[in-house]
Amino acid sequence: QSFDRLPIRVRLASASALLTFVILCAFAIAIGSLTVSRIRADFNRQVLDTANELPLQLKIIASPTGLHKIEEISPALVAYGNSDNHTFIRLITEGGGVLRQQPENAPELEPSLLPRTERGYRVVTRIGRVLEGSQYGPVIGRVLIVYGRKTSDTEATVARLELFLILGVFAGTALALLAGMAIARRAMSPIAQLTSVAADIARTRDPSRRVPEPASTDEVSELAQTLSGMLHELDAARSERESVLARQRRFVADASHELRTPLTSVLANLELLAERSEVGGLSSDLGDAARSALRSSQRMRRLVADLLLLARTDVGRRPSRESVDLAQIVIEAAGELGPVSRAHEIVIDARPARVTAARDELHRLVINLIENALKHTPPGTQINVLTRTQGDDVTLIVEDDGPGVPAELVPTLFERFVRGAGDRGGSFGLGLAIVKAVADAHGGSVALDGTGADGRTGARFVVRLPGERTAPSGEDDAQAGDSAPGGWPISDRSLAT
């Protein structure tokens, strides 16, 4: 598994080097064995041939009185027995006595007619003749000619050969690894180029780009063509999807806009019926039905307004913008929601914060944030709404000390039609989606901060918008006023029921 995690070029080069190593090892073993065997066989044959020549080359002449009086030995004894050549010759009588040896410090090895290797020497024994009087005299006896030659020279040659083969195997493997890396890098370069282009396409999200296609007709070229075809289809699918979404957005925007007129008429008629039921102009059953229909129609009007706002932001329609004070919008929105706050306390700390924006959209943003806190917190919860100017940005903070947002809801909190468990059908799940859409349309952002002020638990929504101007240093402090216990400034307006 660890081998599979390596890059492909490393695996290819490693496999090539391993295969080369196995082949070279087999070659070295076969060639080395044959060569070593041949070297040793040639050495043994040379020793044997020399030993076979010695009885003919050595002339041993003795006096008639016996072998103990050797008168002459031919100079071949010195020629064949030479310490410089790592050879020796020993002449032994049939009784075991040593007649002569060359050199004088020749090793004492037992004679044997069979060739053998002993104590680092290859030893061969042959039988020589002893002549009487002269080299033409009769044979009067025999001697054992022991000839030996050191095997060290041959073994040194064998060791050098083995070392050369071992180094050759490792050198060939290293060269195969380097060559494999170079070839693999060269072979993988088109794929690396394809990967780079694909990464750029993923980064820019532009499937209209095309990947380079190699000139060769191989697997890489086929991969490039497949990627090009896939990108072409993705581009076509994206264009088709964007076209469909654009038509859907236009339809929703147009339908929402067209629904406002009949809804206004329906609401007016239902309000008239509800008023007549209160003064006794209708039966109680019809009055209850009219009031129920009025509440449903009011919900439908809010839904249509929400859908129209989202559709306008989706299609990029920008209503006229003006310089507005976010603090004033917060006070108006809190005053509008005060009568329906249901035992919640809304505390406003609104400091001047001017932005260039669509007033109605900002009003809707503030309304949705405060309504979200009212719907998802128990009675008695305090809701704090603050506006601040920080550098070039304007910040709106809506926080509460309620139970907070469930962890499983956080990732999809600002998506459309997402409703909390405690909503109980009180909304359409579009409130926070509208907040995000308005903030994004004005070049700002909205985020959920996990803790409220002073480390209190609860939901804390922070909206940041580009400010119209930068407040002078110390302006916030001058406008802050006194502070309430716990670090809260005395509110510009406090609403509670």
Side-chain angles (χ1 to χ4, degrees):
Q1 294 181 352
S2 58
F3 181 76
D4 293 337
R5 298 191 191 100
L6 295 175
I8 295 179
R9 60 177 180 272
V10 176
R11 282 184 281 167
L12 290 175
S14 300
S16 174
L18 180 61
L19 180 60
T20 302
F21 177 77
V22 172
I23 294 174
L24 290 179
C25 283
F27 176 81
I29 291 173
I31 298 300
S33 299
L34 292 175
T35 305
V36 169
S37 176
R38 182 62 179 272
I39 291 174
R40 287 174 175 166
D42 290 344
F43 173 78
N44 294 338
R45 186 175 62 255
Q46 291 175 4
V47 173
L48 184 61
D49 291 345
T50 304
N52 291 334
E53 291 178 0
L54 286 176
L56 301 176
Q57 299 295 330
L58 290 179
K59 303 299 182 179
I60 305 173
I61 301 173
S63 63
T65 58
L67 292 177
H68 60 283
K69 293 182 180 180
I70 299 296
E71 294 184 350
E72 182 183 352
I73 296 179
S74 64
L77 180 65
V78 178
Y80 285 94
N82 191 336
S83 59
D84 295 337
N85 296 330
H86 302 139
T87 60
F88 76 90
I89 296 177
R90 177 177 290 110
L91 302 180
I92 302 176
T93 63
E94 292 179 338
V98 178
L99 291 177
R100 189 75 58 86
Q101 65 181 12
Q102 183 66 31
E104 296 297 333
N105 59 349
E108 296 182 2
L109 301 176
E110 293 295 328
S112 174
L113 295 179
L114 296 177
R116 72 184 191 281
T117 302
E118 182 180 354
R119 293 168 58 182
Y121 284 88
R122 183 69 176 177
V123 181
V124 180
T125 303
R126 290 293 180 261
I127 298 175
R129 299 175 299 172
V130 179
L131 304 177
E132 181 183 3
S134 69
Q135 59 180 346
Y136 303 107
V139 177
I140 61 173
R142 294 185 302 176
V143 295
L144 296 179
I145 304 174
V146 181
Y147 174 72
R149 184 175 176 180
K150 265 190 175 183
T151 60
S152 59
D153 294 340
T154 302
E155 295 304 321
T157 302
V158 170
R160 287 193 297 270
L161 175 63
E162 291 175 347
L163 178 62
F164 173 77
L165 291 175
I166 292 174
L167 292 179
V169 168
F170 285 105
T173 303
L175 290 176
L177 179 62
L178 294 177
M181 288 290 291
I183 295 173
R185 183 179 290 108
R186 178 79 176 263
M188 295 295 293
S189 59
I191 298 180
Q193 189 176 7
L194 291 177
T195 303
S196 177
V197 173
D200 289 340
I201 294 174
R203 178 176 52 82
T204 59
R205 296 186 176 183
D206 182 14
S208 62
R209 294 181 56 184
R210 290 294 174 263
V211 296
E213 296 184 7
S216 60
T217 56
D218 54 6
E219 291 79 1
V220 178
S221 177
E222 184 178 355
L223 174 62
Q225 293 174 1
T226 303
L227 287 176
S228 296
M230 180 188 68
L231 290 174
H232 176 73
E233 295 300 326
L234 287 176
D235 188 25
R238 186 184 70 167
S239 300
E240 182 178 354
R241 178 174 58 87
E242 289 179 349
S243 176
V244 172
L245 290 177
R247 291 195 297 270
Q248 288 179 348
R249 294 189 188 106
R250 286 194 297 270
F251 170 77
V252 172
D254 295 340
S256 300
H257 180 75
E258 294 298 328
L259 284 174
R260 295 176 67 183
T261 300
L263 274 176
T264 302
S265 176
V266 170
L267 284 170
N269 292 328
L270 289 175
E271 287 173 356
L272 178 60
L273 290 175
E275 291 176 0
R276 291 186 61 183
S277 68
E278 292 177 357
V279 298
L282 293 174
S283 64
S284 60
D285 292 340
L286 290 176
D288 292 339
R291 284 188 289 272
S292 176
L294 178 60
R295 288 192 296 270
S296 298
S297 299
Q298 288 172 342
R299 281 193 70 208
M300 186 181 298
R301 182 175 63 179
R302 291 196 299 271
L303 174 60
V304 169
D306 291 343
L307 290 175
L308 181 59
L309 192 151
L310 289 174
R312 283 174 175 172
T313 58
D314 286 342
V315 298
R317 295 181 184 175
R318 294 182 54 180
S320 61
R321 299 184 180 183
E322 58 183 336
S323 175
V324 296
D325 187 358
L326 183 59
Q328 184 63 34
I329 294 177
V330 167
I331 293 174
E332 294 173 359
E336 182 179 334
L337 293 174
V340 295
S341 60
R342 295 179 301 176
H344 290 75
E345 183 180 3
I346 303 177
V347 179
I348 307 299
D349 181 12
R351 303 178 186 178
R354 302 201 68 84
V355 295
T356 301
R359 185 182 186 88
D360 292 342
E361 292 187 358
L362 283 190
H363 183 83
R364 190 62 181 164
L365 179 148
V366 177
I367 287 284
N368 285 4
L369 285 176
I370 299 177
E371 278 187 336
N372 182 74
L374 291 173
K375 292 176 181 177
H376 297 93
T377 56
T381 301
Q382 178 176 305
I383 301 171
N384 303 291
V385 185
L386 304 88
T387 59
R388 295 287 186 272
T389 299
Q390 299 175 344
D392 294 334
D393 293 334
V394 167
T395 303
L396 167 67
I397 300 175
V398 178
E399 59 185 356
D400 59 69
D401 54 2
V405 179
E408 66 275 8
L409 199 61
V410 172
T412 59
L413 190 61
F414 294 100
E415 295 181 4
R416 300 177 186 183
F417 304 105
V418 174
R419 299 166 59 183
D423 198 330
R424 296 188 179 92
S427 71
F428 303 100
L430 295 175
L432 293 179
I434 290 175
V435 170
K436 185 176 187 305
V438 172
D440 292 343
H442 287 79
S445 64
V446 59
L448 172 67
D449 193 352
T451 57
D454 301 329
R456 292 178 293 179
T457 60
R460 186 173 191 263
F461 291 91
V462 180
V463 179
R464 289 184 173 83
L465 299 172
E468 185 181 57
R469 61 180 179 83
T470 302
S473 177
E475 182 178 338
D476 287 344
D477 294 337
Q479 296 172 348
D482 299 328
S483 295
W488 282 98
I490 293 177
S491 62
D492 295 324
R493 184 172 183 178
S494 180
L495 303 171
T497 60

